[in-house]
Amino acid sequence: EAAVTQSPRNKVTVTGGNVTLSCRQTNSHNYMYWYRQDTGHGLRLIHYSYGAGNLQIGDVPDGYKATRTTQEDFFLLLELASPSQTSLYFCASSDELGNQDTQYFGPGTRLLVL
Amino acid sequence: GEQVEQRPPHLSVREGDSAVIICTYTDPNSYYFFWYKQEPGAGLQLLMKVFSSTEINEGQGFTVLLNKKDKQLSLNLTAAHPGDSAVYFCAVSGPLLSGSFNKLTFGAGTRLAVCP
């Protein structure tokens, strides 16, 4: 089964702070995704990538940057964090385009912006 | 873009009763359909992936029905037990070979409580 890990699991920062959330997958999946989960909204896609160096904009990208440094690693960057970005963040990975497979999710990172 | 409405947002049943969660989507060309379960403090765990129309898919203790004519996806937990208590999400992929094929649109979730 695909393994997706996230770090940190919990993070507290202040408004205007700089935060990096990390995600690593070890099943050689090409696609990786960052979501935020908020009550009443389900999961919303922030950014995704289909390979190292690639970045695609999701549905709620404002205030977020992302970078895919290797096939395994996908980072989400909040350079000027705001309280509206307080949320539960999930990373996921999946197999290649044309073979839409299950998205495997990490355990989540809970971010609090004061 | 695709929109997915999931209901009810909260559901409480007694152990042994059935629980039904329904999602309605808007894009008739949506291709894959998923149900995920999220237990407290955990990520999302896949329950089932379906893509055939009007097909009943049976899992362990649950049934998934996809009705493409009505653009509706349902999850029926038969004889629910306390271990089924979790948040359930439906998700819908974009049309095959489209730019949104590998993107999922999620419902808002249903928090299910199964009481002994």
Side-chain angles (χ1 to χ4, degrees):
Chain A
E1 187 170 322
V4 182
T5 57
Q6 293 182 234
S7 63
R9 294 294 312 278
N10 293 280
K11 177 73 177 177
V12 180
T13 190
V14 296
T15 299
N18 193 321
V19 176
T20 298
L21 307 185
S22 302
C23 177
R24 166 165 282 207
Q25 56 94 7
T26 58
N27 258 48
S28 303
H29 283 168
N30 285 340
Y31 278 79
M32 295 185 75
Y33 311 79
W34 276 108
Y35 293 91
R36 60 178 290 172
Q37 182 184 1
D38 305 287
T39 303
H41 289 280
L43 275 74
R44 292 181 289 175
L45 183 64
I46 304 171
H47 291 297
Y48 66 108
S49 164
Y50 56 75
N54 175 265
L55 182 65
Q56 303 293 315
I57 294 173
D59 299 322
V60 289
D62 293 345
Y64 302 95
K65 292 184 179 179
T67 180
R68 180 88 176 271
T69 55
T70 65
Q71 187 176 38
E72 294 78 19
D73 299 300
F74 195 28
F75 300 93
L76 186 67
L77 297 83
L78 292 73
E79 294 183 332
L80 287 170
S82 72
S84 66
Q85 294 176 306
T86 292
S87 187
L88 180 58
Y89 291 87
F90 285 103
C91 175
S93 72
S94 71
D95 210 340
E96 296 185 26
L97 179 68
N99 181 27
Q100 164 63 309
D101 207 345
T102 306
Q103 287 193 18
Y104 293 92
F105 285 81
T109 295
R110 192 169 293 278
L111 175 66
L112 173 62
V113 183
L114 299 173
Chain B
E2 174 79 269
Q3 294 183 48
V4 178
E5 180 185 339
Q6 182 174 343
R7 63 180 195 277
H10 301 276
L11 183 58
S12 181
V13 300
R14 290 190 180 276
E15 186 172 6
D17 288 350
S18 64
V20 180
I21 304 170
I22 296 174
C23 286
T24 305
Y25 59 96
T26 56
D27 189 339
N29 297 312
S30 297
Y31 198 75
Y32 282 111
F33 304 82
F34 302 81
W35 281 105
Y36 282 92
K37 176 183 181 181
Q38 183 183 30
E39 295 180 333
L44 277 71
Q45 172 193 359
L46 177 74
L47 287 179
M48 187 168 284
K49 176 179 82 171
V50 298
F51 67 95
S52 296
S53 181
T54 322
E55 179 176 326
I56 297 176
N57 297 271
E58 294 189 1
Q60 223 172 3
F62 62 89
T63 302
V64 170
L65 176 64
L66 173 62
N67 184 335
K68 284 195 168 183
K69 175 177 172 292
D70 294 335
K71 297 195 288 293
Q72 199 169 76
L73 176 72
S74 65
L75 172 68
N76 185 347
L77 287 90
T78 53
H81 56 85
D84 292 329
S85 296
V87 180
Y88 292 83
F89 292 95
C90 62
V92 178
S93 82
L96 185 64
L97 301 180
S98 75
S100 61
F101 179 62
N102 271 70
K103 291 173 59 178
L104 294 181
T105 302
F106 283 81
T110 296
R111 185 174 297 277
L112 172 66
V114 181
C115 307

